[in-house]
Amino acid sequence: MMMIDTADLTKTYNGRGGCRGITLQVPEGCIFGLLGPNGAGKSTFVKMLAGLHRPDSGRAAVLGLPLGRPDARRKLGYLPELFRFQDWLTPVEVLRLHGRLGGLRSQETRSPAFRGRVRDTLELVGLSEAANRRVGGFSKGMQQRLGLAAALLLDPELIILDEPASALDPIGRYEIRSLLKRLRSKGMTVFLNTHLLEDVEELCDEAAFLYGGELLASGPLHKLLSGTGDSGDNWRFRLGGWLPETRAELNAEAGDALSSLLRLVEADESGNALLSARVADREQAGYLCAAFIRCGLTLYESGPEPNSLEDWFLRMAGSRQGGDPQ
């Protein structure tokens, strides 16, 4: 089942901003990352999924049900980017309140079973020792952990997290990443809106990229980073015998169009050089290797260059801007 399924979903603010025409599917049991620069429309999209914004047009289903349906909301956990808890409450009291907001009766939130659920949830997010302290004395990171506890309290099938680690230190982020992996292993689906690329690279099975309110790419993360498809592959070539006149020789040997794909990454006085190129396929990469050898260069190494998520992110943004992001 698709836990999130949207078609041409649109929400703007007086015709400006927001997001437009978003068609996206999130399969069950994965961690899905939503990426994009500030102002890309990510938060607008997330708030529609959570039922906080009503779309202008398009359709969407969460957990197989139309947006905003009460029976879907009961199975959905949500951590907003901007949140605030009552300073005078303790985490136990905050979670009891969220239990009531989630549809539990007062007597249910005071039952031994619910108290055990609160205790386990606070332990899960690392707040056991602060269970009876006033929230007003919490750091931003502790409040973020409490927000995650509220999202997980009623054992949802899908959790939507809007910048869940933005206030955490490196240790806290590591702990939250470990927690999200455990949740995925138990079959929970996690939809993660974040600007922390390393978290997406570490966690996500699939991802999508929003820019200017439009969806530019989506799919399994390994395929997005593989560079396969019409855009070609990034290759690197490590050579010996590189001289100042070598570029002109390559132009003559391989042709200006093919030689222009090459970018000199580094070279030293001994003639060792590292070149990169974005080639259409392995055959084109092989043609370049042959051209190097015909020009008298020593080919030490060649092969596809693994893409980092940062490289992919910048390339996507740069393609939208119509230029090189560097």
Side-chain angles (χ1 to χ4, degrees), residues 267-304:
D268 60 28
E269 295 179 354
S270 301
N272 297 310
L274 176 64
L275 278 71
S276 72
R278 190 154 188 82
V279 298
D281 48 38
R282 288 180 175 269
E283 183 177 355
Q284 194 174 63
Y287 187 87
L288 285 172
C289 289
F292 296 146
I293 294 171
R294 288 196 297 270
C295 288
L297 298 168
T298 301
L299 180 62
Y300 295 123
E301 180 185 345
S302 71

PDB file of all heavy atoms in Angstrom, residues 267-304:
ATOM      1  N   ALA A 267      46.305  18.619 -11.147  1.00  0.00           N
ATOM      2  CA  ALA A 267      47.495  18.166 -11.864  1.00  0.00           C
ATOM      3  C   ALA A 267      48.716  18.644 -11.097  1.00  0.00           C
ATOM      4  O   ALA A 267      48.682  19.704 -10.457  1.00  0.00           O
ATOM      5  CB  ALA A 267      47.508  18.697 -13.296  1.00  0.00           C
ATOM      6  N   ASP A 268      49.808  17.859 -11.140  1.00  0.00           N
ATOM      7  CA  ASP A 268      51.032  18.274 -10.455  1.00  0.00           C
ATOM      8  C   ASP A 268      52.164  18.435 -11.467  1.00  0.00           C
ATOM      9  O   ASP A 268      52.003  18.168 -12.665  1.00  0.00           O
ATOM     10  CB  ASP A 268      51.409  17.298  -9.342  1.00  0.00           C
ATOM     11  CG  ASP A 268      51.644  15.875  -9.849  1.00  0.00           C
ATOM     12  OD1 ASP A 268      52.035  15.717 -11.022  1.00  0.00           O
ATOM     13  OD2 ASP A 268      51.452  14.924  -9.068  1.00  0.00           O
ATOM     14  N   GLU A 269      53.315  18.841 -10.978  1.00  0.00           N
ATOM     15  CA  GLU A 269      54.449  19.120 -11.873  1.00  0.00           C
ATOM     16  C   GLU A 269      55.010  17.861 -12.505  1.00  0.00           C
ATOM     17  O   GLU A 269      55.739  17.932 -13.483  1.00  0.00           O
ATOM     18  CB  GLU A 269      55.535  19.860 -11.099  1.00  0.00           C
ATOM     19  CG  GLU A 269      55.106  21.243 -10.617  1.00  0.00           C
ATOM     20  CD  GLU A 269      56.207  21.937  -9.832  1.00  0.00           C
ATOM     21  OE1 GLU A 269      57.245  21.292  -9.585  1.00  0.00           O
ATOM     22  OE2 GLU A 269      56.013  23.123  -9.465  1.00  0.00           O
ATOM     23  N   SER A 270      54.703  16.700 -11.928  1.00  0.00           N
ATOM     24  CA  SER A 270      55.202  15.441 -12.468  1.00  0.00           C
ATOM     25  C   SER A 270      54.343  14.899 -13.604  1.00  0.00           C
ATOM     26  O   SER A 270      54.656  13.836 -14.157  1.00  0.00           O
ATOM     27  CB  SER A 270      55.285  14.389 -11.354  1.00  0.00           C
ATOM     28  OG  SER A 270      56.142  14.822 -10.312  1.00  0.00           O
ATOM     29  N   GLY A 271      53.240  15.587 -13.908  1.00  0.00           N
ATOM     30  CA  GLY A 271      52.385  15.146 -15.001  1.00  0.00           C
ATOM     31  C   GLY A 271      51.252  14.245 -14.576  1.00  0.00           C
ATOM     32  O   GLY A 271      50.504  13.752 -15.428  1.00  0.00           O
ATOM     33  N   ASN A 272      51.110  14.030 -13.275  1.00  0.00           N
ATOM     34  CA  ASN A 272      49.960  13.271 -12.791  1.00  0.00           C
ATOM     35  C   ASN A 272      48.734  14.172 -12.782  1.00  0.00           C
ATOM     36  O   ASN A 272      48.807  15.323 -12.332  1.00  0.00           O
ATOM     37  CB  ASN A 272      50.224  12.740 -11.380  1.00  0.00           C
ATOM     38  CG  ASN A 272      51.382  11.761 -11.344  1.00  0.00           C
ATOM     39  OD1 ASN A 272      51.426  10.823 -12.139  1.00  0.00           O
ATOM     40  ND2 ASN A 272      52.341  12.002 -10.457  1.00  0.00           N
ATOM     41  N   ALA A 273      47.624  13.646 -13.269  1.00  0.00           N
ATOM     42  CA  ALA A 273      46.427  14.476 -13.390  1.00  0.00           C
ATOM     43  C   ALA A 273      45.187  13.652 -13.065  1.00  0.00           C
ATOM     44  O   ALA A 273      45.152  12.432 -13.260  1.00  0.00           O
ATOM     45  CB  ALA A 273      46.309  15.048 -14.799  1.00  0.00           C
ATOM     46  N   LEU A 274      44.191  14.354 -12.570  1.00  0.00           N
ATOM     47  CA  LEU A 274      42.878  13.755 -12.319  1.00  0.00           C
ATOM     48  C   LEU A 274      41.861  14.547 -13.122  1.00  0.00           C
ATOM     49  O   LEU A 274      41.752  15.767 -12.960  1.00  0.00           O
ATOM     50  CB  LEU A 274      42.543  13.798 -10.827  1.00  0.00           C
ATOM     51  CG  LEU A 274      41.150  13.291 -10.437  1.00  0.00           C
ATOM     52  CD1 LEU A 274      41.010  11.801 -10.759  1.00  0.00           C
ATOM     53  CD2 LEU A 274      40.877  13.544  -8.956  1.00  0.00           C
ATOM     54  N   LEU A 275      41.109  13.858 -13.993  1.00  0.00           N
ATOM     55  CA  LEU A 275      40.099  14.492 -14.822  1.00  0.00           C
ATOM     56  C   LEU A 275      38.736  13.882 -14.498  1.00  0.00           C
ATOM     57  O   LEU A 275      38.638  12.718 -14.088  1.00  0.00           O
ATOM     58  CB  LEU A 275      40.397  14.293 -16.310  1.00  0.00           C
ATOM     59  CG  LEU A 275      41.411  15.235 -16.970  1.00  0.00           C
ATOM     60  CD1 LEU A 275      42.829  14.941 -16.492  1.00  0.00           C
ATOM     61  CD2 LEU A 275      41.351  15.117 -18.492  1.00  0.00           C
ATOM     62  N   SER A 276      37.703  14.674 -14.676  1.00  0.00           N
ATOM     63  CA  SER A 276      36.346  14.161 -14.528  1.00  0.00           C
ATOM     64  C   SER A 276      35.556  14.512 -15.777  1.00  0.00           C
ATOM     65  O   SER A 276      35.881  15.472 -16.486  1.00  0.00           O
ATOM     66  CB  SER A 276      35.664  14.736 -13.281  1.00  0.00           C
ATOM     67  OG  SER A 276      35.350  16.102 -13.472  1.00  0.00           O
ATOM     68  N   ALA A 277      34.533  13.721 -16.037  1.00  0.00           N
ATOM     69  CA  ALA A 277      33.680  13.966 -17.206  1.00  0.00           C
ATOM     70  C   ALA A 277      32.294  13.406 -16.925  1.00  0.00           C
ATOM     71  O   ALA A 277      32.140  12.419 -16.214  1.00  0.00           O
ATOM     72  CB  ALA A 277      34.260  13.325 -18.452  1.00  0.00           C
ATOM     73  N   ARG A 278      31.301  14.047 -17.493  1.00  0.00           N
ATOM     74  CA  ARG A 278      29.936  13.527 -17.428  1.00  0.00           C
ATOM     75  C   ARG A 278      29.636  12.906 -18.784  1.00  0.00           C
ATOM     76  O   ARG A 278      29.451  13.613 -19.779  1.00  0.00           O
ATOM     77  CB  ARG A 278      28.949  14.639 -17.097  1.00  0.00           C
ATOM     78  CG  ARG A 278      27.553  14.109 -16.790  1.00  0.00           C
ATOM     79  CD  ARG A 278      26.784  15.054 -15.900  1.00  0.00           C
ATOM     80  NE  ARG A 278      25.526  14.470 -15.451  1.00  0.00           N
ATOM     81  CZ  ARG A 278      25.412  13.626 -14.434  1.00  0.00           C
ATOM     82  NH1 ARG A 278      26.490  13.267 -13.779  1.00  0.00           N
ATOM     83  NH2 ARG A 278      24.246  13.147 -14.077  1.00  0.00           N
ATOM     84  N   VAL A 279      29.626  11.572 -18.806  1.00  0.00           N
ATOM     85  CA  VAL A 279      29.511  10.850 -20.063  1.00  0.00           C
ATOM     86  C   VAL A 279      28.123  10.237 -20.182  1.00  0.00           C
ATOM     87  O   VAL A 279      27.436   9.988 -19.186  1.00  0.00           O
ATOM     88  CB  VAL A 279      30.590   9.751 -20.159  1.00  0.00           C
ATOM     89  CG1 VAL A 279      31.986  10.372 -20.122  1.00  0.00           C
ATOM     90  CG2 VAL A 279      30.444   8.726 -19.036  1.00  0.00           C
ATOM     91  N   ALA A 280      27.730   9.975 -21.417  1.00  0.00           N
ATOM     92  CA  ALA A 280      26.389   9.441 -21.664  1.00  0.00           C
ATOM     93  C   ALA A 280      26.291   7.976 -21.272  1.00  0.00           C
ATOM     94  O   ALA A 280      25.247   7.515 -20.801  1.00  0.00           O
ATOM     95  CB  ALA A 280      26.033   9.616 -23.137  1.00  0.00           C
ATOM     96  N   ASP A 281      27.398   7.203 -21.466  1.00  0.00           N
ATOM     97  CA  ASP A 281      27.371   5.775 -21.170  1.00  0.00           C
ATOM     98  C   ASP A 281      28.807   5.266 -21.086  1.00  0.00           C
ATOM     99  O   ASP A 281      29.773   6.015 -21.279  1.00  0.00           O
ATOM    100  CB  ASP A 281      26.581   5.002 -22.239  1.00  0.00           C
ATOM    101  CG  ASP A 281      26.993   5.385 -23.660  1.00  0.00           C
ATOM    102  OD1 ASP A 281      28.215   5.611 -23.881  1.00  0.00           O
ATOM    103  OD2 ASP A 281      26.126   5.473 -24.542  1.00  0.00           O
ATOM    104  N   ARG A 282      28.965   3.967 -20.804  1.00  0.00           N
ATOM    105  CA  ARG A 282      30.296   3.376 -20.687  1.00  0.00           C
ATOM    106  C   ARG A 282      31.055   3.387 -22.011  1.00  0.00           C
ATOM    107  O   ARG A 282      32.280   3.475 -22.038  1.00  0.00           O
ATOM    108  CB  ARG A 282      30.178   1.942 -20.156  1.00  0.00           C
ATOM    109  CG  ARG A 282      29.803   1.865 -18.682  1.00  0.00           C
ATOM    110  CD  ARG A 282      29.691   0.429 -18.208  1.00  0.00           C
ATOM    111  NE  ARG A 282      29.456   0.390 -16.781  1.00  0.00           N
ATOM    112  CZ  ARG A 282      30.413   0.320 -15.858  1.00  0.00           C
ATOM    113  NH1 ARG A 282      31.688   0.290 -16.243  1.00  0.00           N
ATOM    114  NH2 ARG A 282      30.119   0.295 -14.584  1.00  0.00           N
ATOM    115  N   GLU A 283      30.322   3.288 -23.105  1.00  0.00           N
ATOM    116  CA  GLU A 283      30.985   3.310 -24.409  1.00  0.00           C
ATOM    117  C   GLU A 283      31.693   4.652 -24.628  1.00  0.00           C
ATOM    118  O   GLU A 283      32.829   4.697 -25.121  1.00  0.00           O
ATOM    119  CB  GLU A 283      29.959   3.065 -25.511  1.00  0.00           C
ATOM    120  CG  GLU A 283      30.573   3.007 -26.905  1.00  0.00           C
ATOM    121  CD  GLU A 283      29.547   2.693 -27.971  1.00  0.00           C
ATOM    122  OE1 GLU A 283      28.386   2.421 -27.627  1.00  0.00           O
ATOM    123  OE2 GLU A 283      29.921   2.727 -29.159  1.00  0.00           O
ATOM    124  N   GLN A 284      31.019   5.741 -24.244  1.00  0.00           N
ATOM    125  CA  GLN A 284      31.651   7.051 -24.384  1.00  0.00           C
ATOM    126  C   GLN A 284      32.852   7.180 -23.457  1.00  0.00           C
ATOM    127  O   GLN A 284      33.887   7.748 -23.833  1.00  0.00           O
ATOM    128  CB  GLN A 284      30.635   8.154 -24.086  1.00  0.00           C
ATOM    129  CG  GLN A 284      31.096   9.542 -24.530  1.00  0.00           C
ATOM    130  CD  GLN A 284      30.019  10.590 -24.354  1.00  0.00           C
ATOM    131  OE1 GLN A 284      29.596  10.849 -23.220  1.00  0.00           O
ATOM    132  NE2 GLN A 284      29.580  11.186 -25.452  1.00  0.00           N
ATOM    133  N   ALA A 285      32.750   6.642 -22.239  1.00  0.00           N
ATOM    134  CA  ALA A 285      33.890   6.656 -21.318  1.00  0.00           C
ATOM    135  C   ALA A 285      35.049   5.853 -21.895  1.00  0.00           C
ATOM    136  O   ALA A 285      36.217   6.256 -21.803  1.00  0.00           O
ATOM    137  CB  ALA A 285      33.480   6.093 -19.960  1.00  0.00           C
ATOM    138  N   GLY A 286      34.730   4.702 -22.519  1.00  0.00           N
ATOM    139  CA  GLY A 286      35.781   3.897 -23.128  1.00  0.00           C
ATOM    140  C   GLY A 286      36.458   4.612 -24.282  1.00  0.00           C
ATOM    141  O   GLY A 286      37.677   4.479 -24.480  1.00  0.00           O
ATOM    142  N   TYR A 287      35.678   5.382 -25.049  1.00  0.00           N
ATOM    143  CA  TYR A 287      36.266   6.148 -26.155  1.00  0.00           C
ATOM    144  C   TYR A 287      37.253   7.183 -25.627  1.00  0.00           C
ATOM    145  O   TYR A 287      38.327   7.384 -26.212  1.00  0.00           O
ATOM    146  CB  TYR A 287      35.168   6.825 -26.964  1.00  0.00           C
ATOM    147  CG  TYR A 287      35.676   7.499 -28.214  1.00  0.00           C
ATOM    148  CD1 TYR A 287      35.809   6.783 -29.407  1.00  0.00           C
ATOM    149  CD2 TYR A 287      36.035   8.843 -28.207  1.00  0.00           C
ATOM    150  CE1 TYR A 287      36.292   7.396 -30.552  1.00  0.00           C
ATOM    151  CE2 TYR A 287      36.530   9.468 -29.341  1.00  0.00           C
ATOM    152  CZ  TYR A 287      36.650   8.736 -30.516  1.00  0.00           C
ATOM    153  OH  TYR A 287      37.140   9.343 -31.640  1.00  0.00           O
ATOM    154  N   LEU A 288      36.912   7.822 -24.506  1.00  0.00           N
ATOM    155  CA  LEU A 288      37.838   8.781 -23.905  1.00  0.00           C
ATOM    156  C   LEU A 288      39.109   8.094 -23.432  1.00  0.00           C
ATOM    157  O   LEU A 288      40.220   8.624 -23.611  1.00  0.00           O
ATOM    158  CB  LEU A 288      37.155   9.507 -22.742  1.00  0.00           C
ATOM    159  CG  LEU A 288      36.140  10.576 -23.101  1.00  0.00           C
ATOM    160  CD1 LEU A 288      35.410  11.070 -21.847  1.00  0.00           C
ATOM    161  CD2 LEU A 288      36.807  11.758 -23.809  1.00  0.00           C
ATOM    162  N   CYS A 289      38.982   6.910 -22.835  1.00  0.00           N
ATOM    163  CA  CYS A 289      40.166   6.171 -22.385  1.00  0.00           C
ATOM    164  C   CYS A 289      41.090   5.863 -23.573  1.00  0.00           C
ATOM    165  O   CYS A 289      42.325   5.997 -23.472  1.00  0.00           O
ATOM    166  CB  CYS A 289      39.752   4.870 -21.693  1.00  0.00           C
ATOM    167  SG  CYS A 289      38.969   5.100 -20.078  1.00  0.00           S
ATOM    168  N   ALA A 290      40.487   5.442 -24.683  1.00  0.00           N
ATOM    169  CA  ALA A 290      41.290   5.155 -25.873  1.00  0.00           C
ATOM    170  C   ALA A 290      41.974   6.414 -26.393  1.00  0.00           C
ATOM    171  O   ALA A 290      43.135   6.370 -26.842  1.00  0.00           O
ATOM    172  CB  ALA A 290      40.397   4.542 -26.957  1.00  0.00           C
ATOM    173  N   ALA A 291      41.263   7.550 -26.334  1.00  0.00           N
ATOM    174  CA  ALA A 291      41.861   8.814 -26.786  1.00  0.00           C
ATOM    175  C   ALA A 291      43.041   9.200 -25.902  1.00  0.00           C
ATOM    176  O   ALA A 291      44.058   9.713 -26.399  1.00  0.00           O
ATOM    177  CB  ALA A 291      40.798   9.911 -26.779  1.00  0.00           C
ATOM    178  N   PHE A 292      42.943   8.975 -24.601  1.00  0.00           N
ATOM    179  CA  PHE A 292      44.064   9.270 -23.704  1.00  0.00           C
ATOM    180  C   PHE A 292      45.291   8.472 -24.121  1.00  0.00           C
ATOM    181  O   PHE A 292      46.414   9.010 -24.197  1.00  0.00           O
ATOM    182  CB  PHE A 292      43.711   8.909 -22.255  1.00  0.00           C
ATOM    183  CG  PHE A 292      42.587   9.711 -21.661  1.00  0.00           C
ATOM    184  CD1 PHE A 292      41.718   9.126 -20.753  1.00  0.00           C
ATOM    185  CD2 PHE A 292      42.398  11.045 -21.996  1.00  0.00           C
ATOM    186  CE1 PHE A 292      40.690   9.852 -20.196  1.00  0.00           C
ATOM    187  CE2 PHE A 292      41.356  11.781 -21.448  1.00  0.00           C
ATOM    188  CZ  PHE A 292      40.501  11.176 -20.542  1.00  0.00           C
ATOM    189  N   ILE A 293      45.087   7.198 -24.389  1.00  0.00           N
ATOM    190  CA  ILE A 293      46.217   6.325 -24.731  1.00  0.00           C
ATOM    191  C   ILE A 293      46.813   6.725 -26.073  1.00  0.00           C
ATOM    192  O   ILE A 293      48.046   6.758 -26.241  1.00  0.00           O
ATOM    193  CB  ILE A 293      45.748   4.855 -24.736  1.00  0.00           C
ATOM    194  CG1 ILE A 293      45.363   4.433 -23.310  1.00  0.00           C
ATOM    195  CG2 ILE A 293      46.832   3.935 -25.285  1.00  0.00           C
ATOM    196  CD1 ILE A 293      44.682   3.090 -23.233  1.00  0.00           C
ATOM    197  N   ARG A 294      45.963   7.072 -27.045  1.00  0.00           N
ATOM    198  CA  ARG A 294      46.476   7.494 -28.354  1.00  0.00           C
ATOM    199  C   ARG A 294      47.285   8.779 -28.250  1.00  0.00           C
ATOM    200  O   ARG A 294      48.169   9.035 -29.066  1.00  0.00           O
ATOM    201  CB  ARG A 294      45.317   7.682 -29.333  1.00  0.00           C
ATOM    202  CG  ARG A 294      44.667   6.362 -29.780  1.00  0.00           C
ATOM    203  CD  ARG A 294      43.811   6.569 -31.018  1.00  0.00           C
ATOM    204  NE  ARG A 294      42.704   7.473 -30.782  1.00  0.00           N
ATOM    205  CZ  ARG A 294      41.505   7.103 -30.363  1.00  0.00           C
ATOM    206  NH1 ARG A 294      41.259   5.809 -30.127  1.00  0.00           N
ATOM    207  NH2 ARG A 294      40.537   7.985 -30.194  1.00  0.00           N
ATOM    208  N   CYS A 295      46.984   9.600 -27.223  1.00  0.00           N
ATOM    209  CA  CYS A 295      47.739  10.838 -27.019  1.00  0.00           C
ATOM    210  C   CYS A 295      49.006  10.612 -26.190  1.00  0.00           C
ATOM    211  O   CYS A 295      49.689  11.585 -25.827  1.00  0.00           O
ATOM    212  CB  CYS A 295      46.867  11.876 -26.333  1.00  0.00           C
ATOM    213  SG  CYS A 295      45.576  12.557 -27.392  1.00  0.00           S
ATOM    214  N   GLY A 296      49.310   9.364 -25.881  1.00  0.00           N
ATOM    215  CA  GLY A 296      50.535   9.056 -25.158  1.00  0.00           C
ATOM    216  C   GLY A 296      50.424   9.157 -23.651  1.00  0.00           C
ATOM    217  O   GLY A 296      51.442   9.094 -22.954  1.00  0.00           O
ATOM    218  N   LEU A 297      49.216   9.298 -23.116  1.00  0.00           N
ATOM    219  CA  LEU A 297      49.023   9.374 -21.674  1.00  0.00           C
ATOM    220  C   LEU A 297      48.965   7.966 -21.071  1.00  0.00           C
ATOM    221  O   LEU A 297      48.585   7.004 -21.738  1.00  0.00           O
ATOM    222  CB  LEU A 297      47.717  10.109 -21.348  1.00  0.00           C
ATOM    223  CG  LEU A 297      47.645  11.566 -21.809  1.00  0.00           C
ATOM    224  CD1 LEU A 297      46.207  12.089 -21.693  1.00  0.00           C
ATOM    225  CD2 LEU A 297      48.590  12.437 -20.989  1.00  0.00           C
ATOM    226  N   THR A 298      49.359   7.876 -19.813  1.00  0.00           N
ATOM    227  CA  THR A 298      49.241   6.614 -19.077  1.00  0.00           C
ATOM    228  C   THR A 298      47.948   6.652 -18.278  1.00  0.00           C
ATOM    229  O   THR A 298      47.739   7.562 -17.475  1.00  0.00           O
ATOM    230  CB  THR A 298      50.431   6.419 -18.123  1.00  0.00           C
ATOM    231  OG1 THR A 298      51.646   6.433 -18.872  1.00  0.00           O
ATOM    232  CG2 THR A 298      50.304   5.087 -17.381  1.00  0.00           C
ATOM    233  N   LEU A 299      47.106   5.666 -18.506  1.00  0.00           N
ATOM    234  CA  LEU A 299      45.819   5.605 -17.810  1.00  0.00           C
ATOM    235  C   LEU A 299      45.973   4.704 -16.588  1.00  0.00           C
ATOM    236  O   LEU A 299      46.050   3.491 -16.701  1.00  0.00           O
ATOM    237  CB  LEU A 299      44.741   5.060 -18.750  1.00  0.00           C
ATOM    238  CG  LEU A 299      43.328   4.936 -18.173  1.00  0.00           C
ATOM    239  CD1 LEU A 299      42.774   6.302 -17.766  1.00  0.00           C
ATOM    240  CD2 LEU A 299      42.392   4.262 -19.184  1.00  0.00           C
ATOM    241  N   TYR A 300      46.015   5.317 -15.421  1.00  0.00           N
ATOM    242  CA  TYR A 300      46.179   4.569 -14.182  1.00  0.00           C
ATOM    243  C   TYR A 300      44.845   4.025 -13.650  1.00  0.00           C
ATOM    244  O   TYR A 300      44.794   2.943 -13.089  1.00  0.00           O
ATOM    245  CB  TYR A 300      46.801   5.452 -13.090  1.00  0.00           C
ATOM    246  CG  TYR A 300      48.215   5.902 -13.384  1.00  0.00           C
ATOM    247  CD1 TYR A 300      48.547   7.245 -13.426  1.00  0.00           C
ATOM    248  CD2 TYR A 300      49.226   4.968 -13.627  1.00  0.00           C
ATOM    249  CE1 TYR A 300      49.835   7.655 -13.691  1.00  0.00           C
ATOM    250  CE2 TYR A 300      50.523   5.375 -13.905  1.00  0.00           C
ATOM    251  CZ  TYR A 300      50.825   6.727 -13.927  1.00  0.00           C
ATOM    252  OH  TYR A 300      52.110   7.126 -14.189  1.00  0.00           O
ATOM    253  N   GLU A 301      43.801   4.808 -13.862  1.00  0.00           N
ATOM    254  CA  GLU A 301      42.526   4.436 -13.243  1.00  0.00           C
ATOM    255  C   GLU A 301      41.385   5.146 -13.948  1.00  0.00           C
ATOM    256  O   GLU A 301      41.517   6.304 -14.355  1.00  0.00           O
ATOM    257  CB  GLU A 301      42.542   4.831 -11.759  1.00  0.00           C
ATOM    258  CG  GLU A 301      41.282   4.514 -10.980  1.00  0.00           C
ATOM    259  CD  GLU A 301      41.353   5.059  -9.559  1.00  0.00           C
ATOM    260  OE1 GLU A 301      42.454   5.423  -9.094  1.00  0.00           O
ATOM    261  OE2 GLU A 301      40.277   5.122  -8.920  1.00  0.00           O
ATOM    262  N   SER A 302      40.259   4.442 -14.110  1.00  0.00           N
ATOM    263  CA  SER A 302      39.051   5.083 -14.628  1.00  0.00           C
ATOM    264  C   SER A 302      37.848   4.359 -14.056  1.00  0.00           C
ATOM    265  O   SER A 302      37.909   3.161 -13.757  1.00  0.00           O
ATOM    266  CB  SER A 302      39.004   5.057 -16.156  1.00  0.00           C
ATOM    267  OG  SER A 302      38.764   3.738 -16.622  1.00  0.00           O
ATOM    268  N   GLY A 303      36.753   5.079 -13.888  1.00  0.00           N
ATOM    269  CA  GLY A 303      35.550   4.445 -13.374  1.00  0.00           C
ATOM    270  C   GLY A 303      34.506   5.458 -12.960  1.00  0.00           C
ATOM    271  O   GLY A 303      34.779   6.663 -12.869  1.00  0.00           O
ATOM    272  N   PRO A 304      33.274   4.990 -12.734  1.00  0.00           N
ATOM    273  CA  PRO A 304      32.204   5.892 -12.300  1.00  0.00           C
ATOM    274  C   PRO A 304      32.550   6.551 -10.977  1.00  0.00           C
ATOM    275  O   PRO A 304      33.143   5.930 -10.090  1.00  0.00           O
ATOM    276  CB  PRO A 304      30.992   4.972 -12.148  1.00  0.00           C
ATOM    277  CG  PRO A 304      31.311   3.768 -12.961  1.00  0.00           C
ATOM    278  CD  PRO A 304      32.792   3.600 -12.891  1.00  0.00           C
TER     279      PRO A 304
END
